[in-house]
Amino acid sequence: FQRLDSNQDGFLDFNELRSLLLRGSGTSNSFSDKQLRIIFRCVDRDNDSRVEFDEFVDWVYGKDAKSHKEKWEDTFLAFAGRDDRLSEAEFLQLMEASRLLDDAFDEEQASRVFSASCKQGEECLDPSGCSKAIARIAKRKGVKKALVIKRIAECEGPLRHSDYLD
């Protein structure tokens, strides 16, 4: 655990665990960013964005994973990259990859939903803002919010976010 903790703060952050998992998967780097986010969230049981030693040991020895409800947030985080916030371009990529853009809800409408869902003075979405955007999308499309969540949760996300291309 201490060797993995590159900044020696006593915890593993996403990038430290990500490095371990990509090294362990061989040269194929077979994990997508969404899969890496899902694994990180499973390990980080108290949701403080860092993995403590006990959480890591519990994960290694097979303690229960996180709830099914958090899957859309994993997709959100895969598209968000290192800053855990969606820019407008990332939001539009998420909408396209989730098959939410169509004649009834196009890119222009998606951009308006994005702007309306951002916190005042910001030009990005955190998970809370994305939840608001999901509700707005459902209303504009005339569907239940659960359908929009399902589409986002089912989306694989990018294989590698550009933030992680070395």
Side-chain angles (χ1 to χ4, degrees):
F1 184 86
Q2 291 174 333
R3 282 195 323 257
L4 300 173
D5 181 16
S6 60
N7 63 1
Q8 299 299 303
D9 65 355
F11 305 96
L12 298 182
D13 63 22
F14 172 73
N15 290 317
E16 290 166 333
L17 187 62
R18 180 183 184 281
S19 294
L20 165 73
L21 294 170
L22 290 177
R23 263 195 321 260
S25 67
T27 58
S28 67
N29 291 335
S30 59
F31 290 112
S32 70
D33 281 344
K34 180 177 180 182
Q35 291 167 328
L36 292 166
R37 288 289 185 174
I38 289 169
I39 292 168
F40 183 78
R41 288 171 51 117
C42 286
V43 179
D44 179 24
R45 296 181 64 83
D46 63 2
N47 296 316
D48 64 356
S49 298
R50 59 189 191 175
V51 175
E52 297 156 22
F53 177 76
D54 291 341
E55 290 173 320
F56 184 76
V57 171
D58 286 348
W59 178 67
V60 168
Y61 288 101
K63 299 284 181 172
D64 290 339
K66 299 233 174 186
S67 77
H68 191 71
K69 291 180 178 181
E70 295 168 330
K71 279 191 167 185
W72 77 262
E73 286 188 9
D74 294 321
T75 305
F76 165 90
L77 291 167
F79 277 89
R82 290 185 198 268
D83 64 358
D84 295 343
R85 297 180 182 286
L86 288 177
S87 67
E88 184 174 355
E90 292 165 337
F91 179 75
L92 293 173
Q93 289 172 347
L94 172 60
M95 294 298 98
E96 184 174 343
S98 300
R99 300 177 337 270
L100 289 166
L101 296 178
D102 55 27
D103 292 339
F105 183 71
D106 61 19
E107 217 173 278
E108 185 179 319
Q109 290 175 328
S111 289
R112 284 196 294 257
V113 165
F114 174 84
S115 295
S117 302
C118 290
K119 291 179 181 172
Q120 191 169 4
E122 292 189 13
E123 294 182 13
C124 59
L125 289 178
D126 61 10
S128 173
C130 191
S131 182
K132 291 175 186 174
I134 289 169
R136 287 182 169 113
I137 293 164
K139 185 175 181 180
R140 287 190 185 227
K141 291 178 78 62
V143 299
K144 293 186 178 190
K145 185 177 174 182
L147 176 65
V148 176
I149 290 171
K150 182 178 183 217
R151 286 266 182 93
I152 292 172
E154 289 174 347
C155 175
E156 282 302 312
L159 179 61
R160 284 290 166 266
H161 188 282
S162 60
D163 284 357
Y164 297 110
L165 297 176
D166 298 316

